[in-house]
Every structure is written in structure tokens, then in C-alpha cells.
Amino acid sequence: MQGKKFAAAATAALATCAVAHADELENNTVRTGYAKVRFHLQSGDLSGPPGTTPPGLRIDARDLDIFAISYERRLSDHWALQLQAGIPPTLTAVGAGAAAPVGTVAKARIWFPTAMVRYTIPGFSVVHPYVATGVTYTFFTGQEISPAYNAALQGTGSDIKLHSSWGAYARVGVEYPLDRQWRLNLEYSSFRLKTSAAVDTRTPGFGTITRHVDLKDAPGILGATIGYRF
């Protein structure tokens, strides 16, 4: 009798552990996919020492295609913590305003790793709509000025420094479970980008001339990803 009770207790304990383990297996999700970033860059005028910079020179940015990667940790039935990154795309800055004829003026790798808290809206059986908010840190690597910029400002070469910044990040989306582990996800996001650039141009007869431009934006990001829960 004691052996039967022990066996029953052990079976119940193992079943409980299995359920707990199965629940634990569904607390993590990894997503990969594609995202399109659309810029609406607001640029100040490029400024420098008096008499060195024509008025009305501004900057715009071309839209980006991104391979997105994110990790999510479920905190409860409706709340989750999400971390996202991706392969940093090359941001291409082009002339705007009086600088539009110049074309490409600079290129850089743009990084914006993001941490968010996500809330899944209850009451839906087929799809899972959600909202998320968090913070992103934008920084740049591989920054370089184009020959067209140097030619337009009569320089022999230039160095550029784009400053990093923190910004708010917001998202709305919907998730569709394909089965217990696989999910299809569609989302729209936006984040606050505010930075400035300093460009040092080596100019014959004048030495190095430093120019600045202020930039801000709230890029829109449309993404489609596939997720795996484990």
C-alpha cells in the first residue's frame, strides 16, 4: 500500500513538473523577419564659420530595408519584455534643399537596439493584438563622407561624426499563432531620433573647416516576422 501511495505521489509530482516545464518552454520567443524603415527627416541648415557655407544646405535620408531579430520573455499571460536588434543597415544621407543636386553626401551603419514592455490585449481568440513601448539607443559606425560632398564644398577630404542618442519607441501589432510554437507577426513601430552631425573638411588655403547640422525624425517601421516559442 505504501508503495502504491509513493508511486501515485511520484506520478503526480512528475506530471506537475512536466506541466511546469511545458509552461516554462513557452516563456521565450525568438523572431526574425523583414522591416521597412521610412524616414521623414527634418534637417536644419548646414552651418559653419561665416562665409564658408552656402545657405539652405540640408540633408535627407533614403528608406531602409532591415533584417530584424528580437527576443521576447513572457512575464505573465499578457505582459512580456522584448529586446530587439538586427543586422545594421547602411544609412544613406542625400542632399536636400539647396544641396539636392549633390546627391549622396554621407553613409553610415545605423544601430538602434531597443528594449520594450509589451502588453497583449485580451479577449481575442484567433489573433493576439498588442501594444508595446520602450526606449531605443541610436548610434552610428562606419561613417564616411562622399566625394560629391567634398567637391561641392571644395574640400580634399572630410571626416564626419554622427552623435548617438536615446529615444522613445512605440509599437502596435498583431500576432497569429500558426501552431503551438510558431507565430506570424505583423507590426508598425515608430521611434524618436534626434542627432547632430559634425563634418571636418580639409580645405586648401583655409585648413580644416568644421560644419554642423541638426537632424530629427520619427521614422515609421513596417515589419513582418516569424516567431518560435520555446
Side-chain angles (χ1 to χ4, degrees):
M1 182 65 69
Q2 292 295 329
K4 291 182 178 180
K5 289 182 178 179
F6 177 78
T11 301
L14 288 173
T16 301
C17 290
V19 171
H21 184 62
D23 184 65
E24 179 69 20
L25 288 178
E26 296 183 353
N27 283 341
N28 305 283
T29 303
V30 173
R31 295 185 180 86
T32 61
Y34 166 81
K36 182 76 172 184
V37 183
R38 297 191 179 276
F39 289 97
H40 312 281
L41 200 63
Q42 300 177 48
S43 168
D45 287 353
L46 187 70
S47 62
T52 65
T53 310
L57 300 180
R58 299 188 181 92
I59 293 176
D60 202 351
R62 291 179 182 161
D63 295 342
L64 294 176
D65 297 304
I66 293 179
F67 177 70
I69 304 171
S70 68
Y71 165 76
E72 182 178 290
R73 175 68 179 181
R74 189 180 67 169
L75 304 176
S76 68
D77 287 343
H78 303 301
W79 292 96
L81 175 65
Q82 190 172 54
L83 304 174
Q84 76 172 23
I87 298 175
T90 297
L91 176 68
T92 300
V94 296
V102 177
T104 299
V105 297
K107 291 186 177 183
R109 291 277 189 179
I110 180 171
W111 305 66
F112 45 99
T114 304
M116 289 177 288
V117 174
R118 167 175 152 162
Y119 177 72
T120 300
I121 302 170
F124 295 84
S125 57
V126 178
V127 297
H128 303 151
Y130 63 87
V131 294
T133 185
V135 63
T136 188
Y137 179 67
T138 305
F139 65 98
F140 306 86
T141 59
Q143 305 168 58
E144 57 183 38
I145 286 289
S146 73
Y149 175 95
N150 291 319
L153 292 172
Q154 301 178 349
T156 58
S158 298
D159 299 311
I160 182 173
K161 174 62 177 178
L162 286 157
H163 297 285
S164 57
S165 64
W166 292 91
Y169 198 103
R171 170 175 291 164
V172 295
V174 61
E175 187 176 76
Y176 176 71
L178 301 174
D179 58 25
R180 177 172 174 174
Q181 292 179 300
W182 291 96
R183 273 104 171 87
L184 178 64
N185 182 68
L186 300 175
E187 61 194 27
Y188 178 80
S189 310
S190 184
F191 68 98
R192 184 174 180 269
L193 172 63
K194 186 176 182 180
T195 186
S196 61
V199 185
D200 297 327
T201 301
R202 296 175 288 281
T203 310
F206 294 92
T208 298
I209 296 176
T210 300
R211 298 179 175 91
H212 300 85
V213 63
D214 294 324
L215 307 165
K216 62 181 179 179
D217 200 352
I221 307 172
L222 185 62
T225 61
I226 189 78
Y228 179 76
R229 296 183 69 173
F230 61 96

